[in-house]
Amino acid sequence: MSNTPENFKEKIISLCKRRGFIFQSSEIYGGLKSAYDYGPLGVELKRNLMNEWWKSMVHKREDVIGLDASIIMHPKVWEASGHLAGFSDPLVDCLVSKERFRADKAPKLNVEDDITITCNDKGQAKNFQKIIEDRFNILLKREGKQLKGLKLIDEKNFGFFENNNTKPIKTFEYKGYVSPTFGCPFLSEERQFNLMFRSQIGPVDVLGEITTYIRKNKNISSDELRIGIDKLVKKSAVYLRPETAQAMFVQFLNCQQTMSMKIPFGIAQMGKSFRNEITTEHFIFRSCEFEQMEMEFFVEPGTQEKWLDYWVEKRMSWWQKFANHPENFRYRAHDESELAHYAEACYDIEYKYPWGYDELEGVASRTDYDLKKHAEQSGTKLSYFDQQKTDPDTGKNGWRYTPYVIEPAAGATRGLLVYLMDAYTEETVKDAKGNETTRIVMKLHPKLAPIKVAILPLVKKEGLPEIARKLVNELFELGINARYDEQHSIGKRYRRHDEAGTPFCITIDGQTKEDKSVTIRDRDTMKQERIPLVYLKEIIQKKLSEA
Ligand code: ATP
């Protein structure tokens, strides 16, 4: 079967379940939409990935320090950052299919493009044709599962054209995009939707307060009622953080002063974030609960361009380092209209997913927006004094300024998906009988691989399990995640570990007892080598550190 984008994604999802990388959350209850659990292999892969990020961002740099802040923060944080008001995405409904989607993610067309509505099957096409006829008074031409006859006239209008006529019979307002699933241009107005998850803190009985309030205000309008209830809820409302970044701004002074950091320096954090996403899509690519790896790098005003270039380049080479196909990563500069309200420039590091290039990490130049906003709201001076510098305004020695910020913000769970896709390989090989079969192998970078070494006694007797178990324990002592595996034939065990992405399999056989040698099998080349047991640990350590 050839790999269409859809079936490639399905293959990854199926392998993740089969091998214990990722499970649907609460599966036995029918699953929770867009929530996932990282299984025995997934949790290792995610931790390895995040640990590598931490090593490169914090442990291997003198100018970056770490932070692990609480997920629930003071609600004023979100007011200051603009998330409470502005962390909302424009949502649109398709008037024909009822599909709801984010306007900023919808496909855009070029002037003169034909607008073809593509349905799942003929039945649906007939149904949509009728809805459009009833509601908009035009009869689109149906060809199989496609509806035709619409065309984009200019940036603001599309028209219905019959029988190749050059003049439209009827025109409609073009919203700037079409619906993502069907390509339909009949859309509602945009509505704002807050992506933050809200909860209540403390022992307050909000429902009780709301009930009393409604009882007392029977005669007010629905709008007034809504405003009143909103005020009651907001009194004890807290929010799950939608990004890890804000804590680094809020704790800027504490971190800088306790560690005597000099600008430029960064504060890094990784952990869970939550967004009540409308369109959860592509497996773990966009989910409501996910993990981020973010760093705020504080720089002197005027130097931000240089540091933006520096971090874009650094982050790109980090992603590529662990990939089999570095050519599948690219940069994309945001144009003016895409920039967030706080950003003066931004690059996305994108990956070529089966559905096309899409974001993996954003590296933004966030100016001094966040520190200034938090300083204003909290009344705390969030600035930096550089004794060595001259104040450009006064010309005097010593300069107090609000630092500018460069932010590399990556998705850890999205990164995990990228590396699963990058690693997934199908190869045609010959089995023991000489027949061609497909070998599925996860070519995960050894530093990311969940299990580093599998120790396989050829048979479950003759003292081989004892030798194998001793070896596993010795590898544990060295901090190497080894697994003992005696189930099924040796061939099946190799295949299982190929799918798990285990870089090395060690086989203990009869000869091991005689001459104290073992075979080591390389996952990618399938080459087997006989080596003395005494050197094994050293060889494995060397292979893992060289990788
Ligand atoms: P997108 O445009 O894909 O919604 P974003 O630009 O809103 O992402 P940022 O706020 O820049 O994302 O977050 C930084 C990173 O966090 C993203 O590059 C992505 O890797 C990850 N991320 C953001 N939202 C999600 C999500 N819902 N699920 C998984 N990862 C996410």
Side-chain angles (χ1 to χ4, degrees):
M1 195 161 47
S2 68
N3 274 332
T4 63
E6 222 19 69
N7 88 35
F8 180 62
K9 209 169 74 190
E10 286 312 314
K11 282 179 179 178
I12 297 280
I13 295 173
S14 143
L15 180 132
C16 281
K17 175 155 190 213
R18 189 165 74 236
R19 286 289 156 239
F21 281 97
I22 302 169
F23 308 125
Q24 176 71 62
S25 157
S26 324
E27 194 184 278
I28 59 167
Y29 287 102
L32 180 66
K33 192 173 156 263
S34 146
Y36 296 94
D37 295 347
Y38 292 81
L41 295 190
V43 61
E44 298 294 338
L45 176 57
K46 179 147 69 77
R47 285 200 182 161
N48 291 343
L49 170 65
M50 293 174 82
N51 287 343
E52 285 302 323
W53 182 85
W54 194 258
K55 261 193 242 163
S56 96
M57 297 300 263
V58 183
H59 287 174
K60 290 191 179 167
R61 300 188 65 104
E62 281 192 58
D63 56 357
V64 180
I65 48 181
L67 178 70
D68 186 6
S70 58
I71 285 174
I72 297 175
M73 298 171 76
H74 196 293
K76 285 228 155 81
V77 169
W78 308 115
E79 263 175 47
S81 66
H83 284 86
L84 214 41
F87 201 87
S88 46
D89 280 319
L91 275 195
V92 177
D93 289 315
C94 171
L95 301 176
V96 180
S97 68
K98 305 289 175 255
E99 178 187 6
R100 180 168 291 174
F101 59 92
R102 274 172 63 174
D104 58 337
K105 301 276 168 204
K108 297 176 177 59
L109 303 176
N110 296 319
V111 171
E112 304 233 318
D113 275 356
D114 286 327
I115 307 176
T116 305
I117 300 175
T118 306
C119 304
N120 291 324
D121 50 48
K122 278 188 205 165
Q124 190 179 45
K126 279 185 190 161
N127 185 22
F128 284 6
Q129 190 185 32
K130 171 109 185 30
I131 296 173
I132 294 169
E133 188 182 10
D134 291 347
R135 184 152 185 181
F136 303 103
N137 225 355
I138 52 171
L139 182 62
L140 295 188
K141 192 168 162 214
R142 191 175 63 75
E143 283 177 16
K145 57 181 188 174
Q146 293 191 324
L147 298 177
K148 299 193 163 172
L150 301 173
K151 189 178 184 152
L152 190 58
I153 300 170
D154 54 38
E155 277 161 13
K156 295 259 175 318
N157 298 286
F158 67 94
F160 172 54
F161 297 78
E162 230 174 15
N163 305 330
N164 294 335
N165 282 349
T166 47
K167 267 199 154 173
I169 293 183
K170 212 167 171 188
T171 60
F172 303 88
E173 186 197 349
Y174 174 62
K175 297 281 183 346
Y177 42 82
V178 291
S179 73
T181 309
F182 303 103
C184 179
F186 297 107
L187 306 171
S188 74
E189 294 302 322
E190 294 180 6
R191 287 175 298 112
Q192 294 303 115
F193 173 82
N194 200 303
L195 284 177
M196 279 204 293
F197 280 98
R198 181 164 65 189
S199 188
Q200 307 298 132
I201 199 163
V204 260
D205 174 18
V206 190
L207 284 184
E209 288 186 15
I210 294 174
T211 314
T212 314
Y213 176 79
I214 296 176
R215 285 238 161 101
K216 279 190 185 159
N217 294 282
K218 280 196 181 120
N219 299 325
I220 62 175
S221 72
S222 307
D223 280 352
E224 285 169 319
L225 204 57
R226 204 189 147 83
I227 293 169
I229 293 173
D230 193 51
K231 266 196 197 145
L232 286 178
V233 172
K234 274 211 177 122
K235 275 201 304 187
S236 57
V238 285
Y239 303 88
L240 300 187
R241 69 179 177 206
E243 60 173 36
T244 61
Q246 292 305 318
M248 274 90 90
F249 299 122
V250 173
Q251 294 293 7
F252 165 75
L253 270 194
N254 278 336
C255 290
Q256 187 261 322
Q257 288 173 353
T258 51
M259 301 302 284
S260 312
M261 297 307 284
K262 294 211 166 10
I263 277 190
F265 80 93
I267 307 176
Q269 173 167 224
M270 48 190 198
K272 295 238 169 171
S273 290
F274 302 82
R275 294 183 192 177
N276 197 2
E277 299 274 10
I278 298 309
T279 332
T280 50
E281 56 185 350
H282 305 314
F283 194 30
I284 57 169
F285 175 81
R286 188 184 309 286
S287 46
C288 289
E289 179 178 338
F290 56 100
E291 299 222 35
Q292 289 187 304
M293 310 184 289
E294 299 194 294
M295 197 268 291
E296 308 305 316
F297 198 72
F298 301 95
V299 306
E300 191 184 302
T303 64
Q304 64 270 27
E305 258 180 60
K306 175 185 91 181
W307 284 110
L308 178 63
D309 291 348
Y310 170 87
W311 281 110
V312 169
E313 207 270 306
K314 262 262 172 278
R315 294 300 307 140
M316 174 62 110
S317 60
W318 186 82
W319 285 112
Q320 288 177 320
K321 187 170 97 177
F322 299 104
N324 297 293
H325 304 286
E327 69 280 6
N328 285 341
F329 295 76
R330 72 169 193 196
Y331 310 106
R332 191 179 63 80
H334 280 209
D335 64 35
E336 199 86 0
S337 64
E338 273 181 285
L339 287 177
H341 56 284
Y342 49 75
E344 73 180 4
C346 185
Y347 286 89
D348 279 350
I349 295 177
E350 296 189 326
Y351 178 73
K352 197 174 180 188
Y353 300 91
W355 56 92
Y357 277 103
D358 214 332
E359 180 172 338
L360 167 61
E361 169 161 358
V363 188
S365 179
R366 283 181 86 124
T367 67
D368 54 2
Y369 177 87
D370 301 85
L371 285 178
K372 280 204 163 142
K373 280 279 170 200
H374 286 302
E376 259 168 53
Q377 274 273 350
S378 65
T380 306
K381 237 189 213 168
L382 297 177
S383 57
Y384 177 82
F385 185 68
D386 192 337
Q387 277 176 332
Q388 316 297 327
K389 291 271 158 69
T390 308
D391 186 324
D393 290 335
T394 61
K396 288 189 182 152
N397 274 351
W399 182 20
R400 179 169 289 284
Y401 60 83
T402 305
Y404 270 49
V405 173
I406 304 300
E407 175 195 75
T413 40
R414 203 174 276 186
L416 186 146
L417 178 64
V418 162
Y419 285 131
L420 285 172
M421 290 178 160
D422 174 78
Y424 185 94
T425 315
E426 286 176 357
E427 289 172 357
T428 305
V429 291
K430 291 227 163 89
D431 66 12
K433 289 181 190 145
N435 298 325
E436 284 197 342
T437 60
T438 305
R439 172 174 97 115
I440 296 174
V441 48
M442 293 300 283
K443 296 193 173 174
L444 288 166
H445 191 284
K447 290 223 159 49
L448 302 183
I451 302 169
K452 309 296 181 199
V453 196
I455 311 293
L456 320 172
L458 192 61
V459 288
K460 290 187 215 171
K461 51 189 180 187
E462 295 158 16
L464 303 189
E466 288 74 15
I467 301 174
R469 285 228 146 85
K470 184 165 172 278
L471 185 54
V472 170
N473 284 327
E474 286 169 3
L475 290 166
F476 281 169
E477 286 303 311
L478 295 173
I480 295 172
N481 191 15
R483 284 286 122 180
Y484 174 86
D485 190 351
E486 60 173 24
Q487 289 301 321
H488 303 118
S489 71
I490 194 74
K492 277 200 178 140
R493 280 181 270 169
Y494 283 153
R495 288 297 171 85
R496 189 155 61 227
H497 282 282
D498 283 346
E499 289 198 356
T502 308
F504 308 108
C505 284
I506 310 297
T507 308
I508 315 286
D509 55 17
Q511 201 182 325
T512 311
K513 283 205 303 187
E514 284 164 24
D515 65 5
K516 298 211 169 0
S517 68
V518 293
T519 52
I520 179 165
R521 173 187 182 268
D522 183 286
R523 174 197 68 196
D524 299 345
T525 60
M526 293 194 289
K527 269 208 187 123
Q528 301 192 17
E529 244 182 288
R530 191 113 212 150
I531 53 167
L533 194 47
V534 281
Y535 296 133
L536 181 74
K537 283 172 277 174
E538 205 181 306
I539 290 172
I540 297 269
Q541 272 180 315
K542 195 158 174 268
K543 281 186 187 283
L544 289 175
S545 67
E546 273 169 3

